[in-house]
Every structure is written in structure tokens, then in C-alpha cells.
Amino acid sequence: MIKRCIVLLLTTAFFLSGCSGTVAQPKVTHNPTGISGALHHDAQLAYAKAHVLWKNGVCENPAKAAGLLREALRIEPKYGEAWLRRGRLLIQFEEYEAAVEDLDKAVRYYPQSDSYAYRGYAEFGLGNYMGAKKNYERALELDSKSGTAWNFLGELLLAQLKVDEGCDALEEGSALGYGEPYDAAIERGVCVP
């Protein structure tokens, strides 16, 4: 009798607990915008809309991108990727001083290789070769496979007439899939393959 009661209690507990052999799966939602939810939704949405305006490293609609990035940064002032993107936009228009200011914030809030590489590029644009090199070296410490950083470093070294070192850096960038600067240097006769 006691055994039957125990079996009956266990059977009842099994069915009441919902253990019918299937595990309830959480509902997966589709995220078409690609935003993470870590920052304010509207800021991430504005950034995503600005991000798609870049084709082959160049912003095709700068005025629209600037407005979207301004909106993202108004909502999320510590949005490092938005500071990086806006700094890149300013570089495109050779506004190097303003770019350095934005990229300082990118480095603070998004300390990734690209933030340092582009800050170095803006410093290079201002003629601050030592600052540029320091940023490129930091970018490469963070990601030794950054073709962007290798190419920027190569351009700096060529500007300093360090041709062998510059060509080596451009060749490294090319090997990582960013071959245009190295190919251009070969066409100009600066680098020899």
C-alpha cells in the first residue's frame, strides 16, 4: 500500500511539473535592424541607418549620415561606435581637428583597433606623425590583423620616406585583404613586389 502511494505521488508530481518529455523552448524573435539592445533602441536605430550609407569606405550621403549620427549621440553620448563613425565622416571631408575630437571619444567609449587606427589617420592629416604612429601601433597591438591599421601605418612610413618599412606595412595590409593601397604604390613605382 505504501509503495502504491509513493508511485502514485511520483506519477502525479511528474505530470503536474510539466515534464511530459518535451522541453519548452524560449520564443526567438527576429531582429531585422541588427541592434543589440545594449544601448537605447532609438540611438542604435539611428546609428544602423547611418552605417548603411557607407559603401567601400565612403559615405554616400554625408548630410543624412551626419544627422543620424548626431541623433544617436544626442540620445547616447557614450556611444563609441557612433563617435568612430562620425570621426570617419569628418576625415572624409578633411576636417581633421574635429575628427580627432570625435575619435578621442571613440577611443574612450569603444577602445577597439579601428578607433585607434582612425584617430591616427586624423592625426596624420594634421601632420602629427608621432601621434599617428602611436595610434597605429596601439591599433595593431589590439588587432594585428587589421588591414586598415597596416595600410595607414604604411602610408605614414612612406610619407616619412621610410620606403622599405612602408611597403612592408602596405604589403601586410594587402595580405589581409586590403590590397588597394599596396597596388597603388606598386603602380606609382614606390613599392616593388
Side-chain angles (χ1 to χ4, degrees), residues 2-189:
I2 293 178
K3 286 184 182 181
R4 271 193 235 164
C5 286
I6 292 174
V7 170
L8 183 61
L9 284 174
L10 288 174
T11 304
T12 304
F14 178 76
F15 284 110
L16 289 177
S17 69
C19 296
S20 61
T22 61
V23 178
Q25 297 292 324
K27 184 177 178 183
V28 178
T29 58
H30 178 64
N31 184 356
T33 62
I35 58 180
S36 71
L39 297 167
H40 191 281
H41 179 272
D42 292 341
Q44 287 187 303
L45 191 57
Y47 173 80
K49 288 178 181 178
H51 180 78
V52 299
L53 297 174
W54 265 261
K55 303 286 187 249
N56 298 319
V58 177
C59 182
E60 295 181 336
N61 189 337
K64 185 173 183 178
L68 290 165
L69 292 169
R70 186 179 318 107
E71 179 65 11
L73 292 167
R74 182 189 63 75
I75 297 166
E76 284 283 351
K78 295 181 180 180
Y79 197 166
E81 290 173 277
W83 287 114
L84 170 60
R85 185 63 56 171
R86 198 168 87 167
R88 289 180 60 187
L89 182 62
L90 291 165
I91 286 171
Q92 185 174 324
F93 292 96
E94 299 180 4
E95 295 290 336
Y96 298 119
E97 287 183 32
V100 168
E101 290 176 21
D102 281 9
L103 293 163
D104 283 344
K105 292 175 183 138
V107 164
R108 183 178 316 131
Y109 302 125
Y110 185 67
Q112 302 297 316
S113 178
D114 276 355
S115 296
Y116 285 95
Y118 281 97
R119 184 170 71 175
Y121 193 86
E123 292 285 1
F124 177 63
L126 290 171
N128 180 1
Y129 290 4
M130 189 163 41
K133 187 174 184 194
K134 183 178 174 183
N135 278 284
Y136 298 153
E137 288 170 348
R138 180 65 180 135
L140 290 167
E141 284 174 16
L142 292 170
D143 181 7
S144 64
K145 299 207 181 301
S146 170
T148 300
W150 280 110
N151 284 336
F152 288 172
L153 176 61
E155 291 174 11
L156 169 68
L157 293 168
L158 290 177
Q160 294 176 314
L161 302 178
K162 297 178 181 178
V163 177
D164 290 339
E165 293 174 61
C167 288
D168 289 346
L170 291 177
E171 187 174 14
E172 186 69 33
S174 180
L176 293 166
Y178 298 87
E180 194 174 312
Y182 184 57
D183 293 341
I186 290 171
E187 281 182 31
R188 292 190 322 262

